[in-house]
Amino acid sequence: MTVAEYMAACLYDPEDGYYATRPSIGGANADFLTAPEASQMYGELIGLWCAHEWDALGKPAFNLIELGPGRGVLMQDMLRATQRVEGFQDSSNVVLVEVSAPLRDEQAERVPQAEWALRLDDAPPGASLIIGNEFLDCLPIRQFVRGEDGWHEKLVGMDEVDQLTFGLSAALPAPDSDDEPGTVREVAPALESLIYELERRLHEAPGRALLIDYGYVTPEGADTLQALKRHTKVDPIETPGEADLTAHVDFARVAHLAEQAGLDVHGPITQGLFLRGLGIELRFKALAEANPPHAERLAREMHRLTSPDQMGALFKVICLSSPNLPPPAGF
Ligand code: SAH
């Protein structure tokens, strides 16, 4: 099978898939830690970003949509931070796009007013503000490897002793290129479909999508498939369904597809730059002054979110918008 089919089976198989059965986010014993799980400041700033953009849209009734909300922490923090923005919450219809049944249950505890959808297309029509943190990296990728004799697709199969192993397809009739043997190119078909869904929605009614993830602008030609279990990288084919499987996001491709679809594109910029632009330092100061015993922890959290040696540079932020809106905050 292709790497994309393998990823989809590992993540989404109804009986054994990671998200269907045992997703574990946040906390010391979890498999991975995301930005909203690392600090409340993250969701608060993104909530205020949404309030600002809702204002820019002319304060309409709108869908506040989150793609892949995990444990619901980001939306919970966003809603807390926007409680006092007059009219914002009354105008919003919160929609969580989630495939994982166990995570939906956790989300319902934190965001009881939400409704759920299995995919973006199932969310109600109308103006929307769409957020996705570490969502794009779950979308399955196909991998192509440059050999001496051209391009091959990377495949997953069984060896003689029935162990999962990687292999390569026969050479593909692909155009020649200057890439060195060993170069890996990755494509994410589901990412392309998502951009088309965003295109339809953002052309039918005004709105924006803010997508944040780890990824690159210039591909390095390396294999970015990665499996995480308890914060440790494991072999992606060692324990299928038991680890979180992801790939780095090709932000240049996201920007290109969105531009071709007639959307306005801002970014990608680094998460550090984005959060500083939204005023994370001011938010930190206010929280630290109000809770001096927590000042040190809050400083560590801010460092984690913004510093280039932590999440600040690897993570990128891109905003896709309906045409003819003013530039979004933070870019
Ligand atoms: N945004 C959260 C969780 C990131 S993990 C955070 O930052 O903490 C990825 C999330 O996307 C999980 O909630 C997972 O169940 C969901 N997910 C993965 N693939 C999906 C898909 N194809 N459609 C909808 N949700 C998906």
Side-chain angles (χ1 to χ4, degrees), residues 11-12 19 23 25 32-37 42 66-74 97-100 103 107 117-119 132-135 137-140 244:
L11 292 178
Y12 308 124
Y19 284 119
I25 312 170
F32 58 104
L33 184 76
T34 58
E37 299 280 348
Y42 188 75
E66 186 177 355
L67 306 171
R71 300 196 313 140
V73 173
L74 174 57
V97 177
E98 177 59 71
V99 285
S100 163
L103 287 176
Q107 292 155 16
L118 276 176
R119 48 184 306 153
N133 186 68
E134 290 210 36
F135 175 73
D137 62 65
C138 310
L139 302 177
D244 184 42

Side-chain angles (χ1 to χ4, degrees), residues 160-183:
E160 319 73 63
V161 287
D162 281 355
Q163 294 291 316
L164 283 176
T165 183
F166 284 117
L168 293 177
S169 73
L172 300 167
D176 207 11
S177 72
D178 301 335
D179 292 293
E180 295 287 316
T183 304

Side-chain angles (χ1 to χ4, degrees), residues 277-295:
L278 295 187
I280 192 167
E281 271 118 1
L282 289 175
R283 182 67 192 142
F284 160 72
K285 271 196 197 124
L287 284 174
E289 273 161 25
N291 308 276
H294 293 298

